Amino acid sequence: MADTTIPENALNAFIETLDKANIRIAELFPGDSPRRQPVHTVYGGAHLFKAHTAQKLGVVALRALEEHAPDARALAEAFGLDRGLADRIYPRVVEKLTREPVEDFRIDFEDGFGLRPDHEEDGHALRAANEVAAGLSAGTLPPSIGIRIKPLNEDLKRRSLRTFDLFLTRLLDRTEGKLPAGFVVTLPKITSPEQVAALASACDAF
């Protein structure tokens, strides 16, 4: 091998430092979760959410499929698919829309909900939590569900955390402390690490 400039003892020190850093990063960021990952997320205004919303969306989707692609041949023409492939895909599309039309739903208190008086958002936070509890009991929730709160910027931070608190307090009260599997809280429009830390601390409180 060719001669190198860096002495061996110095090189070992550099590598040891990298080893420690790489191990720390691997522990913090172990990679993709082995749990199921949804292929899509549906955002819907919190004021519209019901325990059976996912099923209603499935009915609408099946109606649209029936109108625009009532069979495998029509599906192949609509998407430029090979007919043999469409013959295999079509029944799977129908089965999926019938059994599980939504993989992940986000009850939206942000863009899909808008700015409303505090008493109105309070009421919708409590009502949406009641609907999630009912859906959990009835088995009508999608595999993954959660809420999107407002940003934690200067104007909306108190409103956002109040909605987070009201929703989770009511939900946990109605479900005896149980969250739906795959429950997620989405924080939008992040502009500082402190916003993420604040939400993490709020989650720890529960």
Side-chain angles (χ1 to χ4, degrees):
M1 295 179 63
D3 292 337
T4 57
T5 301
I6 301 174
E8 186 68 21
N9 60 340
L11 184 61
N12 288 337
F14 299 155
I15 290 174
E16 183 179 353
T17 300
L18 288 172
D19 287 344
K20 293 176 181 177
N22 290 338
I23 290 171
R24 185 180 72 254
I25 292 300
E27 290 173 347
L28 288 172
F29 306 103
D32 290 338
S33 170
R35 295 182 302 175
R36 174 181 177 179
Q37 301 290 308
V39 297
H40 65 253
T41 300
V42 176
Y43 284 79
H47 56 300
L48 302 174
F49 179 77
K50 303 285 187 184
H52 56 274
T53 288
Q55 285 70 36
K56 288 185 66 175
L57 290 172
V59 170
V60 172
L62 284 168
R63 190 182 305 139
L65 183 67
E66 175 63 27
E67 179 180 351
H68 299 286
D71 53 33
R73 180 188 60 79
L75 185 72
E77 292 176 356
F79 289 99
L81 299 175
D82 174 78
R83 178 60 190 273
L85 178 61
D87 286 339
R88 296 197 304 274
I89 289 175
Y90 194 82
R92 297 180 65 179
V93 170
V94 173
E95 189 276 335
K96 177 67 171 176
L97 292 177
T98 302
R99 173 181 55 84
E100 190 181 83
V102 176
E103 293 200 357
D104 185 22
F105 192 94
R106 202 67 74 249
I107 303 168
D108 194 9
F109 289 94
E110 205 230 353
D111 289 340
F113 182 77
L115 296 174
R116 298 167 184 255
D118 282 339
H119 73 275
E120 189 173 338
E121 183 158 340
D122 285 354
H124 284 300
L126 296 173
R127 188 199 57 77
N130 292 340
E131 292 292 333
V132 172
L136 182 62
S137 177
T140 58
L141 298 179
S144 182
I145 192 168
I147 61 173
R148 175 163 71 168
I149 57 178
K150 287 179 167 61
L152 293 180
N153 59 29
E154 191 61 27
D155 294 334
L156 297 171
K157 61 188 179 184
R158 290 187 180 277
R159 176 65 264 175
S160 181
L161 289 173
R162 178 171 173 79
T163 296
F164 168 87
D165 191 355
L166 284 171
F167 178 91
L168 276 180
T169 298
R170 173 61 65 86
L171 177 59
L172 293 170
D173 179 64
R174 292 296 172 91
T175 62
E176 299 182 347
K178 181 180 179 182
L179 286 174
F183 185 81
V184 174
V185 177
T186 298
L187 176 61
K189 300 179 176 69
I190 297 167
T191 55
S192 74
E194 289 80 8
Q195 293 172 357
V196 179
L199 181 59
S201 295
C203 290
D204 287 342
F206 284 88

